[in-house]
Amino acid sequence: MVLLTWIAEVADEPLVLEPADRQVEWKTNTWSLEATDEDRRSLSVAKVVAAFEETASAIRGLARELGFPGVATFYVWHDEQAGQLRCSTGSVPPDALPFNGIYVASDDLGPIVEGFLADSEPGVWSDLDDFQSHAERTETEPEVMPFRVWVCSVGTSH
């Protein structure tokens, strides 16, 4: 159950909530988590979700201890390209997370964890369009689908 241990350890790490310096927040508060083959076989979605919920609760406590008066969000996503679950905390609302791509904020972590645990070849993309450049694609090809991000308010204001 290495993954559950790593999720719990996120709450033991330093937390920086600094709206004036989002780069420091990102570098300090962002974690990449991998799962062993054994974890992928034996962990239930419910156990992983519960571990993240406990971590979010602990981070909410840390934010209060820091005396942070504003909006803060703990969030989790499946980075399919890297084959990792990632999580971070930022002094932003759920609709302003620091992603370059299009995402959908969700209050349901289950599908994100399910996709991660079911990933039989983490970090390997089998549908890379044969390395076509964006310019070579036809206009009829579908746009990239937004990815799902679980969000949890951990700040003192919403």
Side-chain angles (χ1 to χ4, degrees):
M1 307 295 175
V2 175
L3 179 62
L4 298 181
T5 301
W6 288 342
I7 293 169
E9 287 176 355
V10 168
D12 294 333
E13 295 297 326
L15 178 66
V16 173
L17 295 171
E18 185 56 57
D21 196 343
R22 308 267 182 193
Q23 190 67 21
V24 168
E25 280 186 353
W26 179 258
K27 285 182 179 182
T28 305
N29 302 339
T30 303
W31 303 98
S32 301
L33 308 168
E34 297 179 357
T36 64
D37 290 340
E38 174 64 24
D39 279 352
R40 288 183 191 279
R41 285 190 301 274
S42 63
L43 283 175
S44 70
V45 170
K47 283 188 179 201
V48 176
V49 168
F52 273 117
E53 288 172 343
E54 288 176 27
T55 295
S57 179
I59 289 173
R60 187 176 298 111
L62 289 173
R64 286 194 174 103
E65 285 176 24
L66 290 172
F68 183 72
V71 173
T73 304
F74 176 70
Y75 51 103
V76 177
W77 70 101
H78 177 198
D79 182 335
E80 293 181 39
Q81 194 170 11
Q84 300 170 332
L85 275 178
R86 295 196 179 181
C87 62
S88 191
T89 306
S91 58
V92 294
D95 62 354
L97 300 178
F99 290 113
N100 291 328
I102 300 169
Y103 68 94
V104 175
S106 172
D107 61 358
D108 186 2
L109 181 54
I112 296 167
V113 171
E114 186 175 358
F116 171 73
L117 292 176
D119 191 350
S120 62
E121 295 185 63
V124 177
W125 280 16
S126 59
D127 57 349
L128 284 179
D129 286 342
D130 297 324
F131 303 102
Q132 282 184 313
S133 73
H134 182 70
E136 293 173 315
R137 294 183 184 158
T138 66
E139 291 182 25
T140 59
E141 289 188 49
E143 290 295 312
V144 174
M145 295 297 296
F147 61 98
R148 184 183 300 250
V149 180
W150 178 69
V151 296
C152 181
S153 175
V154 295
T156 55
S157 67
H158 303 288

